[in-house]
Amino acid sequence: MPKEQARFGSPCSRAQEGLQLFGDGCKPPPWRSLGGRRPSDAALELARGHHVDLTGLGTRDGCGCFVLGREAGPDARGKAFCLPAPIRVIMPTMHPYLAALSQRILVYDGGMGTMLQPLELTAEDYRGATGCPEILVQSRPDVIRGIHLAYLEAGADVVETNTFGGNRRKLAEWGFGDQVRSLNLAAAKLAREAADHVRTADRPRFVAGSMGPTGMLPSSDDPVLGAVTFEELAVEFQEQAEALVEGGCDLLLIETSQDILEVRAAIAGVRRAFAAIGRSLPLQVQVTLDPSGRMLLGTDIGAALATVGALPVDVFGLNCSTGPEAMRGPVALLSEQSKLPISVLPNAGLPLNVDGRAVYPLEPEPMARMLAEYV
C-alpha cells in the first residue's frame, strides 16, 4: 500500500465508497505497522486515521482496491470484534513526482540568475526593470525556454519555473504587481513545454513551481519587515500558487524560506489554492540556514522540521544557504529524524561580489563530489 492517502470503500461496490477518512487538503496520518497482522486490527487503525501496512491481510480485487478479509478477534480494549464484511480500501495512485522520488534521487536544475548573467540582456529586454527576471517570461520567452532546455539536456529531472519573485509583493517593487497571474501562468507554461519536449516514456521530467519569500519577516518586531499579517501573506501565496498550478506545474516549491511563520502562511495559501482549483499537487518546502545553522530569525533545523512536518507537506529540505559543506550537520539531522523525503539544493558556496557580479566560488567538480557524499 502506498504510504499516502487511503479511505474505506464499500465491500460491495467501488462506486459506493462510504466513509472518507481524509482528503487532498489534509495531512496524511502517520504510518502504522501492525504487530498482530489481523484484518480487524487494520480496520481499527484505518478508522483511527492511521496508514496501515496491509501486506498479508487480504487481496486486491479487479478494481485495484485492497479487500481486508473478514475475521473475528479482540479489539484494542480486549473486547470481541469482528468485521461485519470484508472491507475494501481504495488505493489511490501516487503522484508521478512522488512515485519517481520513492524510486530514486531526482536531480534539480541550477540557478536561473547564474544562467542569465552571462547573456548581458539589455534594459529593453527587462522592460526597464533590470533585476526582475520574472518579466523575461513575457519579454524574452526564448531565453527562459532555452535555459530550461539546457538544464534538461544536461540531465536534470526537475526544472523550476522562473517565478522565485513572482508573488504580488515582490513584483510590485518593479511595477508589475497587477501581473501576478499572467507572469506565473506564462512561466509555468514555458517550463512545461521544455519538460515535455525532452521527456520520454521511461524518463519523465517535472516542473516545480518556484515560490520564494515575500521579503517580509512576520515573526520579527521590525516596524517595516514585520508589518504584515499571516492572512495577508497567505492570500498572496494563494494567488501565485493558483496560476502555477493552472500553468501545468507538477509540484509547488516553497523555497529559500527564512521565517518559519511565513512558511506556515505559504503552506496555508497553497492549500487554499488547491481547494479553490479542486486539484492538489505535491508540496515541497525548503528553508535556508545561515552559517550558524539557523534560519534568519533563529529557528534551527530541528524546530523547522517539527513545524513543517506537522503540516500537509510532501517533501522537506534545504536550499541555498552557505554551500554543501556547511549543510552536513543539518542534512544528517534530517536524514535521521524526517519522516518525509528530503531535498538538498545548496549554493556553490557563498557568493562573492566580483566586479559587481555574483560569483560562486565552488567549481562543478568539487561541488559534485560533495553532493555525492550525501547519497
Side-chain angles (χ1 to χ4, degrees):
M1 177 182 178
K3 297 183 182 180
E4 54 171 350
Q5 295 168 2
R7 52 188 175 178
F8 280 149
S10 163
C12 302
S13 170
R14 184 170 185 170
Q16 300 172 351
E17 293 175 357
L19 174 65
Q20 180 170 332
L21 295 178
F22 51 96
D24 288 341
C26 301
K27 171 76 175 173
W31 181 266
R32 287 290 179 88
S33 180
L34 298 176
R37 309 305 307 160
R38 294 182 307 222
S40 58
D41 294 327
L44 283 169
E45 288 299 306
L46 283 169
R48 290 169 180 152
H50 294 118
H51 280 307
V52 177
D53 181 356
L54 299 178
T55 305
L57 299 180
T59 59
R60 284 184 179 272
D61 66 8
C63 297
C65 297
F66 192 95
V67 180
L68 287 170
R70 187 171 185 232
E71 153 271 346
D75 65 13
R77 295 164 295 184
K79 297 182 179 180
F81 176 81
C82 179
L83 299 181
I87 290 181
R88 175 169 293 169
V89 181
I90 296 176
M91 310 282 280
T93 302
M94 185 180 290
H95 188 280
Y97 175 75
L98 297 177
L101 191 58
S102 72
Q103 298 297 318
R104 62 188 179 87
I105 293 171
L106 298 181
V107 178
Y108 269 65
D109 58 4
M112 179 63 70
T114 50
M115 294 291 280
L116 289 171
Q117 189 171 272
L119 300 180
E120 298 185 348
L121 299 176
T122 66
E124 183 178 357
D125 291 321
Y126 285 95
R127 293 182 177 171
T130 304
C132 180
E134 289 75 20
I135 198 63
L136 296 173
V137 301
Q138 290 182 346
S139 63
R140 291 297 305 271
D142 56 315
V143 169
I144 303 303
R145 187 186 296 107
I147 292 173
H148 288 322
L149 286 171
Y151 278 126
L152 290 163
E153 290 167 357
D157 296 299
V158 188
V159 289
E160 296 186 28
T161 56
N162 182 37
T163 54
F164 180 78
N167 57 73
R168 178 172 293 273
R169 195 173 296 265
K170 296 297 288 186
L171 290 175
E173 295 176 5
W174 303 98
F176 303 130
D178 60 344
Q179 298 185 46
V180 175
R181 175 176 170 76
S182 61
L183 288 174
N184 281 275
L185 197 62
K189 289 181 177 179
L190 281 175
R192 178 82 272 155
E193 291 169 7
D196 289 345
H197 180 73
V198 301
R199 70 181 303 164
T200 61
D202 59 350
R203 178 77 185 282
R205 307 299 180 97
F206 303 102
V207 174
S210 173
M211 302 175 67
T214 62
M216 303 298 284
L217 297 172
S219 296
S220 77
D221 56 6
D222 184 275
V224 176
L225 298 179
V228 64
T229 67
F230 182 97
E231 182 63 22
E232 288 170 338
L233 292 172
V235 168
E236 292 175 21
F237 283 114
Q238 177 181 349
E239 180 183 32
Q240 184 181 13
E242 288 182 7
L244 290 171
V245 174
E246 292 178 25
C249 290
D250 295 295
L251 68 145
L252 294 186
L253 174 61
I254 298 169
E255 61 175 334
T256 321
S257 303
Q258 302 180 66
D259 185 322
I260 200 67
L261 184 56
E262 186 181 57
V263 172
R264 293 178 59 190
I267 294 170
V270 166
R271 289 296 164 184
R272 292 179 191 179
F274 291 162
I277 295 172
R279 178 163 61 96
S280 63
L281 298 177
L283 176 57
Q284 184 164 318
V285 174
Q286 296 171 173
V287 300
T288 188
L289 307 177
D290 63 21
S292 73
R294 296 175 178 272
M295 296 173 68
L296 185 61
L297 297 179
T299 307
D300 65 21
I301 189 61
L305 173 61
T307 300
V308 174
L311 298 172
V313 170
D314 298 286
V315 182
F316 179 65
L318 305 167
N319 77 289
C320 286
S321 302
T322 55
E325 183 63 33
M327 283 187 177
R328 289 180 185 274
V331 171
L333 183 144
L334 291 179
S335 299
E336 294 172 358
Q337 299 184 15
S338 178
K339 296 180 180 179
L340 300 172
I342 65 173
S343 58
V344 183
L345 280 69
N347 278 340
L350 285 171
L352 305 174
N353 189 326
V354 178
D355 297 328
R357 294 190 175 192
V359 175
Y360 291 87
L362 198 56
E363 295 294 325
E365 289 187 6
M367 175 81 164
R369 285 196 300 269
M370 288 184 181
L371 289 177
E373 295 175 5
Y374 287 145
V375 179

Short mmCIF file of all heavy atoms in Angstrom, two decimals, residues 251-282:
data_model
loop_
_atom_site.label_atom_id
_atom_site.label_comp_id
_atom_site.label_asym_id
_atom_site.label_seq_id
_atom_site.Cartn_x
_atom_site.Cartn_y
_atom_site.Cartn_z
N LEU A 251 4.52 20.11 -9.26
CA LEU A 251 4.59 20.30 -7.81
C LEU A 251 4.81 21.78 -7.54
O LEU A 251 5.21 22.53 -8.45
CB LEU A 251 5.73 19.49 -7.18
CG LEU A 251 7.15 19.94 -7.53
CD1 LEU A 251 8.08 19.74 -6.34
CD2 LEU A 251 7.68 19.15 -8.72
N LEU A 252 4.57 22.19 -6.32
CA LEU A 252 4.88 23.56 -5.91
C LEU A 252 6.03 23.51 -4.91
O LEU A 252 6.09 22.62 -4.06
CB LEU A 252 3.67 24.24 -5.30
CG LEU A 252 2.50 24.49 -6.27
CD1 LEU A 252 1.40 25.30 -5.59
CD2 LEU A 252 2.94 25.15 -7.56
N LEU A 253 6.92 24.48 -5.03
CA LEU A 253 8.13 24.52 -4.23
C LEU A 253 8.22 25.84 -3.48
O LEU A 253 8.48 26.90 -4.07
CB LEU A 253 9.36 24.34 -5.14
CG LEU A 253 10.73 24.50 -4.51
CD1 LEU A 253 10.95 23.47 -3.41
CD2 LEU A 253 11.82 24.38 -5.57
N ILE A 254 7.98 25.81 -2.18
CA ILE A 254 8.19 26.98 -1.32
C ILE A 254 9.66 26.94 -0.91
O ILE A 254 10.09 26.01 -0.22
CB ILE A 254 7.27 26.91 -0.09
CG1 ILE A 254 5.81 26.92 -0.52
CG2 ILE A 254 7.57 28.06 0.87
CD1 ILE A 254 4.83 26.60 0.60
N GLU A 255 10.46 27.91 -1.34
CA GLU A 255 11.90 27.78 -1.16
C GLU A 255 12.58 29.03 -0.61
O GLU A 255 12.02 30.12 -0.61
CB GLU A 255 12.55 27.38 -2.49
CG GLU A 255 12.36 28.37 -3.62
CD GLU A 255 13.13 27.97 -4.86
OE1 GLU A 255 14.16 27.27 -4.74
OE2 GLU A 255 12.71 28.37 -5.97
N THR A 256 13.81 28.80 -0.13
CA THR A 256 14.66 29.86 0.41
C THR A 256 13.96 30.61 1.54
O THR A 256 14.09 31.82 1.67
CB THR A 256 15.13 30.83 -0.70
OG1 THR A 256 15.41 30.09 -1.89
CG2 THR A 256 16.39 31.57 -0.30
N SER A 257 13.21 29.87 2.32
CA SER A 257 12.41 30.48 3.39
C SER A 257 13.29 30.81 4.59
O SER A 257 14.12 30.02 5.01
CB SER A 257 11.30 29.52 3.82
OG SER A 257 10.49 29.18 2.70
N GLN A 258 13.08 32.00 5.15
CA GLN A 258 13.90 32.48 6.26
C GLN A 258 13.11 32.74 7.54
O GLN A 258 13.69 32.95 8.60
CB GLN A 258 14.62 33.77 5.85
CG GLN A 258 15.50 33.59 4.62
CD GLN A 258 16.20 34.87 4.22
OE1 GLN A 258 17.05 35.36 4.95
NE2 GLN A 258 15.85 35.41 3.08
N ASP A 259 11.78 32.73 7.43
CA ASP A 259 10.92 33.00 8.58
C ASP A 259 9.89 31.88 8.65
O ASP A 259 9.11 31.69 7.72
CB ASP A 259 10.24 34.36 8.42
CG ASP A 259 9.42 34.77 9.64
OD1 ASP A 259 8.77 33.90 10.24
OD2 ASP A 259 9.42 35.97 9.97
N ILE A 260 9.88 31.12 9.74
CA ILE A 260 9.02 29.95 9.82
C ILE A 260 7.54 30.33 9.81
O ILE A 260 6.70 29.54 9.33
CB ILE A 260 9.36 29.12 11.08
CG1 ILE A 260 8.83 27.68 10.94
CG2 ILE A 260 8.86 29.78 12.34
CD1 ILE A 260 9.50 26.88 9.86
N LEU A 261 7.20 31.53 10.26
CA LEU A 261 5.80 31.96 10.21
C LEU A 261 5.39 32.22 8.76
O LEU A 261 4.26 31.90 8.37
CB LEU A 261 5.59 33.21 11.07
CG LEU A 261 4.14 33.71 11.17
CD1 LEU A 261 3.22 32.60 11.70
CD2 LEU A 261 4.07 34.95 12.07
N GLU A 262 6.28 32.76 7.97
CA GLU A 262 5.97 32.95 6.56
C GLU A 262 5.83 31.59 5.86
O GLU A 262 5.00 31.44 4.96
CB GLU A 262 7.04 33.78 5.85
CG GLU A 262 6.65 34.10 4.41
CD GLU A 262 7.71 34.91 3.67
OE1 GLU A 262 8.86 34.44 3.60
OE2 GLU A 262 7.36 35.98 3.15
N VAL A 263 6.62 30.61 6.26
CA VAL A 263 6.48 29.27 5.70
C VAL A 263 5.08 28.74 5.96
O VAL A 263 4.41 28.21 5.06
CB VAL A 263 7.52 28.31 6.32
CG1 VAL A 263 7.24 26.87 5.90
CG2 VAL A 263 8.93 28.71 5.92
N ARG A 264 4.61 28.90 7.17
CA ARG A 264 3.27 28.43 7.51
C ARG A 264 2.20 29.17 6.70
O ARG A 264 1.23 28.56 6.23
CB ARG A 264 3.01 28.60 9.00
CG ARG A 264 3.87 27.72 9.89
CD ARG A 264 3.61 27.96 11.36
NE ARG A 264 2.21 27.72 11.69
CZ ARG A 264 1.66 28.04 12.86
NH1 ARG A 264 2.39 28.65 13.79
NH2 ARG A 264 0.40 27.78 13.09
N ALA A 265 2.38 30.46 6.50
CA ALA A 265 1.43 31.23 5.70
C ALA A 265 1.45 30.77 4.25
O ALA A 265 0.40 30.67 3.60
CB ALA A 265 1.76 32.72 5.78
N ALA A 266 2.64 30.47 3.74
CA ALA A 266 2.76 30.00 2.36
C ALA A 266 2.06 28.66 2.18
O ALA A 266 1.35 28.43 1.19
CB ALA A 266 4.23 29.88 1.97
N ILE A 267 2.26 27.75 3.14
CA ILE A 267 1.60 26.45 3.07
C ILE A 267 0.08 26.61 3.11
O ILE A 267 -0.65 25.97 2.34
CB ILE A 267 2.09 25.54 4.21
CG1 ILE A 267 3.57 25.21 4.02
CG2 ILE A 267 1.26 24.26 4.28
CD1 ILE A 267 4.22 24.51 5.21
N ALA A 268 -0.38 27.49 3.97
CA ALA A 268 -1.82 27.74 4.06
C ALA A 268 -2.35 28.29 2.73
O ALA A 268 -3.41 27.87 2.24
CB ALA A 268 -2.12 28.73 5.19
N GLY A 269 -1.61 29.22 2.13
CA GLY A 269 -2.02 29.78 0.85
C GLY A 269 -2.07 28.75 -0.25
O GLY A 269 -2.99 28.72 -1.08
N VAL A 270 -1.06 27.88 -0.28
CA VAL A 270 -1.02 26.82 -1.30
C VAL A 270 -2.21 25.88 -1.13
O VAL A 270 -2.87 25.49 -2.11
CB VAL A 270 0.31 26.05 -1.21
CG1 VAL A 270 0.24 24.75 -2.01
CG2 VAL A 270 1.45 26.91 -1.72
N ARG A 271 -2.50 25.49 0.10
CA ARG A 271 -3.62 24.58 0.32
C ARG A 271 -4.95 25.22 -0.04
O ARG A 271 -5.86 24.56 -0.54
CB ARG A 271 -3.62 24.12 1.79
CG ARG A 271 -2.48 23.17 2.10
CD ARG A 271 -2.61 21.87 1.32
NE ARG A 271 -1.38 21.11 1.30
CZ ARG A 271 -1.20 19.98 0.62
NH1 ARG A 271 -2.18 19.50 -0.11
NH2 ARG A 271 -0.06 19.36 0.66
N ARG A 272 -5.06 26.51 0.18
CA ARG A 272 -6.27 27.21 -0.24
C ARG A 272 -6.38 27.20 -1.77
O ARG A 272 -7.48 27.08 -2.32
CB ARG A 272 -6.26 28.64 0.28
CG ARG A 272 -6.39 28.77 1.78
CD ARG A 272 -6.35 30.23 2.20
NE ARG A 272 -6.21 30.39 3.63
CZ ARG A 272 -6.13 31.56 4.25
NH1 ARG A 272 -6.18 32.69 3.52
NH2 ARG A 272 -6.00 31.63 5.56
N ALA A 273 -5.25 27.37 -2.43
CA ALA A 273 -5.25 27.34 -3.90
C ALA A 273 -5.71 25.97 -4.40
O ALA A 273 -6.51 25.88 -5.34
CB ALA A 273 -3.84 27.66 -4.42
N PHE A 274 -5.20 24.91 -3.79
CA PHE A 274 -5.62 23.57 -4.19
C PHE A 274 -7.13 23.40 -4.02
O PHE A 274 -7.81 22.83 -4.88
CB PHE A 274 -4.90 22.51 -3.35
CG PHE A 274 -3.41 22.41 -3.61
CD1 PHE A 274 -2.58 21.79 -2.70
CD2 PHE A 274 -2.85 22.92 -4.77
CE1 PHE A 274 -1.22 21.67 -2.92
CE2 PHE A 274 -1.47 22.83 -5.01
CZ PHE A 274 -0.66 22.19 -4.08
N ALA A 275 -7.65 23.90 -2.90
CA ALA A 275 -9.08 23.77 -2.64
C ALA A 275 -9.89 24.58 -3.65
O ALA A 275 -10.94 24.13 -4.12
CB ALA A 275 -9.39 24.23 -1.22
N ALA A 276 -9.40 25.76 -3.99
CA ALA A 276 -10.13 26.62 -4.93
C ALA A 276 -10.16 26.03 -6.33
O ALA A 276 -11.16 26.11 -7.05
CB ALA A 276 -9.49 28.01 -4.96
N ILE A 277 -9.05 25.41 -6.72
CA ILE A 277 -8.95 24.83 -8.06
C ILE A 277 -9.61 23.46 -8.12
O ILE A 277 -10.07 23.01 -9.16
CB ILE A 277 -7.47 24.73 -8.48
CG1 ILE A 277 -6.88 26.15 -8.61
CG2 ILE A 277 -7.30 23.98 -9.79
CD1 ILE A 277 -5.39 26.16 -8.83
N GLY A 278 -9.64 22.76 -6.98
CA GLY A 278 -10.20 21.43 -6.95
C GLY A 278 -9.21 20.36 -7.33
O GLY A 278 -9.59 19.25 -7.73
N ARG A 279 -7.94 20.66 -7.20
CA ARG A 279 -6.89 19.71 -7.56
C ARG A 279 -5.65 20.03 -6.73
O ARG A 279 -5.32 21.20 -6.53
CB ARG A 279 -6.56 19.84 -9.05
CG ARG A 279 -5.46 18.94 -9.55
CD ARG A 279 -5.51 18.86 -11.07
NE ARG A 279 -5.32 20.16 -11.69
CZ ARG A 279 -4.14 20.60 -12.15
NH1 ARG A 279 -3.06 19.86 -11.99
NH2 ARG A 279 -4.05 21.77 -12.73
N SER A 280 -4.97 19.00 -6.24
CA SER A 280 -3.78 19.24 -5.44
C SER A 280 -2.56 18.64 -6.10
O SER A 280 -2.65 17.71 -6.90
CB SER A 280 -3.94 18.67 -4.03
OG SER A 280 -4.10 17.26 -4.09
N LEU A 281 -1.40 19.17 -5.76
CA LEU A 281 -0.11 18.71 -6.25
C LEU A 281 0.80 18.45 -5.05
O LEU A 281 0.54 18.94 -3.96
CB LEU A 281 0.55 19.77 -7.15
CG LEU A 281 -0.17 20.19 -8.42
CD1 LEU A 281 0.62 21.30 -9.11
CD2 LEU A 281 -0.37 19.02 -9.36
N PRO A 282 1.87 17.70 -5.25
CA PRO A 282 2.85 17.59 -4.17
C PRO A 282 3.38 18.96 -3.77
O PRO A 282 3.53 19.85 -4.62
CB PRO A 282 3.95 16.72 -4.79
CG PRO A 282 3.26 15.94 -5.85
CD PRO A 282 2.22 16.86 -6.40
#
